[in-house]
Every structure is written in structure tokens, then in C-alpha cells.
Amino acid sequence: LIVDDNAVNRLLLAKVLAVLAADLREASSGQEAVELWQSWAPDLIWMDLRMPDLDGYAATREIRQRELCQPHTQRTPIIAISAAGTQTSPAAALSAGCDDFIQKPFKRSQIFDCLQQHLALKYLYADSF
């Protein structure tokens, strides 16, 4: 799930991830992200932190709270993505419940390294039961 209020940013990340032939969906707001997470259960979320209304911090906290209330729900890795020069920090993103942080502009290798790390851990953990 790609979450960003900027359509160009969503398109860029979607193009980078297109080589995976994965089922990608997009959300243009934090509220839409929470709703899509609830109905679709994505394997991973790329979350922009700076959005109007429900920002990425609040959306992440909401998803984490709902995961706690639904014990059968597997924890979804959430990767924070934020532009350089904004008032965001990796520590704030991790404190909100994100699992990792990537700064825009990003390199393709950062996206795939992060994806491999978090999905490999998720599926390794799931296979251990």
C-alpha cells in the first residue's frame, strides 16, 4: 500500500515497485490508508508522514491500535517516507509505530533493501509457527 497525498510521489514509488508484479494499491490520505489496511490487509505500507488531515503519524498509530484490538491480525510493516528538509525525523516515525524510515528523494536500492528486510522478516516469522 502506497500512501501519499501527492499523486506524483505515489506514481514514482508505484513505478519503482512495478517490477515486482505485486498487487499495489494507493491511498491519498491517512484516513484512506487506515480504511484500505482494514479491508485489504496489505503485506507492507509505504507511509508519507506529512499529509493534511490525518497525517502518516496518526494513521500509523491508528493502524497499530487496531492491530492490538484484533489479535488475529498480523502486524503490518509500515515504512515511513518523508521529504528532506521537513520537520520529520526517524525517531518520531519509529515512536509513532513505523518500522523503518526512508528519506525522499530515495534511491531505488533503498526501497528494495527495505522491502526485502521487512517482508523477509515477516514471512520468516510467520513460517516459524
Side-chain angles (χ1 to χ4, degrees):
L1 173 59
I2 300 169
V3 185
D4 198 310
D5 60 319
N6 184 313
V8 173
N9 291 341
R10 290 193 313 270
L11 179 62
L12 175 63
L13 189 52
K15 284 186 179 244
V16 168
L17 295 170
V19 299
L20 300 176
D23 183 12
L24 295 174
R25 298 188 191 175
E26 299 177 16
S28 61
S29 70
Q31 185 60 45
E32 188 180 355
V34 172
E35 292 167 7
L36 264 172
W37 169 83
Q38 187 73 51
S39 64
W40 177 46
D43 290 325
L44 187 136
I45 299 172
W46 302 98
M47 182 73 74
D48 181 33
L49 296 174
R50 307 299 266 171
M51 295 182 285
D53 300 324
L54 190 66
D55 65 17
Y57 297 104
T60 298
R61 286 191 294 271
E62 179 67 24
I63 289 169
R64 295 297 182 228
Q65 184 61 41
R66 290 182 185 205
E67 286 173 336
L68 290 174
C69 295
Q70 301 170 8
H72 63 281
T73 302
Q74 198 173 54
R75 190 175 197 276
T76 304
I78 300 176
I79 312 305
I81 300 182
S82 189
T86 61
Q87 295 179 353
T88 58
S89 72
L94 297 174
S95 176
C98 293
D99 297 288
D100 215 331
F101 180 91
I102 293 179
Q103 189 170 346
K104 297 175 192 173
F106 54 79
K107 294 180 181 175
R108 220 174 249 216
S109 61
Q110 290 175 291
I111 297 297
F112 289 110
D113 288 347
C114 194
L115 187 64
Q116 181 179 17
Q117 176 187 356
H118 291 282
L119 287 186
L121 288 175
K122 179 179 178 176
Y123 289 109
L124 178 64
Y125 180 74
D127 289 344
S128 66
F129 290 98

